[in-house]
Amino acid sequence: MEFIAPAGFTEIPIGMTPEEAREELISRVSREALEARPVAYENLVSNLQKVSQALEESGTLYAGTCLRAYEGELSLGTLLVTVTPFAFGDAAVAADGMVRSLIAARGDAWAGTVLDTPVGPAAVLTGVNGFVIPAETSESGEELNLPMAEMQVYLPVPEGVESQEQCLVSFNFTTPCEGHWDAYCSDIVALLNSVTFDEPDHALPEGGPQPTSPNSSVPSPPTQPLPGATHAEGKAPATPFG
């Protein structure tokens, strides 16, 4: 599997050793700044390495973060792409069922639809989750609950494409920046339009090729609707903030 990560996102290496985590931090933050607070530095190294290992264990294909300016404001976002085994019959029925069941479980705070992408139907859900900031790391010294806008896309992959079994590719995007939601939606549309699957090499033994990492980031193309009709619940992925 290949796809183009949105421009401005920096990939987090998956499955890093402690030394690789240390080098990754140094590449992002100056050594002088890190060594000014050695205890905090070592905590960052440890936490980054643990997260990187957890991502590998969870079947992550890509993890990236975005820190960029949008109309003069600082904008933050995270993107996680995972793949898991998933047995289903018809892809359209599976996507429609995921939308209906997840919306029913989560309530009116979430909206969902099925979109026809170039590689098949995908369940798209949007909503808001709360991210708790502990008191010890909060500037105010009090525990905070930060609302995070979230988009989840579930793309069923048929047997015989990429691997010898059916699987589910999940795209999870989050941001605390309500006003920037439309721009990020455009990024996710472009990402979904860039997805391609590799046909398996039948000369390889069963269980051979697995989805690969995405291509390097390039500027997102102009905003455009996904090809095909919008169906299922019929709700477009508008801002989950209402």
Side-chain angles (χ1 to χ4, degrees):
M1 172 182 169
E2 293 185 349
F3 59 88
I4 299 174
F9 279 79
T10 301
E11 185 172 4
I12 300 172
I14 297 169
M16 287 188 290
T17 64
E19 186 53 41
E20 289 171 338
R22 189 180 305 278
E23 292 302 317
E24 180 67 17
L25 273 177
I26 291 174
S27 71
R28 296 176 182 239
V29 185
S30 72
R31 185 184 296 271
E32 292 77 11
L34 293 171
E35 292 181 348
R37 299 182 63 184
V39 174
Y41 173 38
E42 291 303 323
N43 286 338
L44 283 173
V45 170
S46 176
N47 290 337
L48 178 60
Q49 195 266 335
K50 289 176 182 177
V51 168
S52 181
Q53 289 291 328
L55 290 172
E56 183 178 47
E57 293 168 5
S58 66
T60 299
L61 296 179
Y62 173 89
T65 58
C66 171
L67 175 59
R68 64 188 182 190
Y70 179 75
E71 294 185 348
E73 297 181 355
L74 189 64
S75 192
L76 308 171
T78 64
L79 176 64
L80 188 67
V81 183
T82 61
V83 60
T84 55
F86 179 70
F88 61 92
D90 179 79
V93 173
D96 181 77
M98 281 186 281
V99 169
R100 294 179 185 276
S101 61
L102 290 173
I103 292 299
R106 296 176 184 180
D108 295 338
W110 285 75
T113 189
V114 175
L115 295 179
D116 290 326
T117 78
V119 289
V124 181
L125 296 103
T126 59
V128 178
N129 275 323
F131 179 77
V132 177
I133 301 176
E136 56 269 23
T137 58
S138 168
E139 288 188 6
S140 66
E142 300 178 353
E143 182 177 283
L144 300 176
N145 191 297
L146 179 66
M148 300 287 286
E150 186 166 356
M151 179 184 292
Q152 299 171 354
V153 181
Y154 301 99
L155 180 63
V157 182
E159 180 180 356
V161 179
E162 290 290 340
S163 66
Q164 299 302 312
E165 62 180 344
Q166 294 178 331
C167 58
L168 184 69
V169 177
S170 304
F171 301 84
N172 187 278
F173 169 75
T174 59
T175 180
C177 304
E178 173 184 0
H180 307 165
W181 182 252
D182 288 346
Y184 283 119
C185 282
S186 299
D187 284 341
I188 302 304
V189 167
L191 184 156
L192 293 175
N193 277 317
S194 74
V195 173
T196 58
F197 292 129
D198 296 328
E199 292 296 331
D201 185 345
H202 296 290
L204 295 177
E206 187 171 336
Q210 296 296 319
T212 59
S213 298
N215 294 329
S216 300
S217 298
V218 299
S220 298
T223 303
Q224 55 182 336
L226 286 169
T230 299
H231 45 100
E233 298 299 317
K235 298 177 183 178
T239 170
F241 287 93

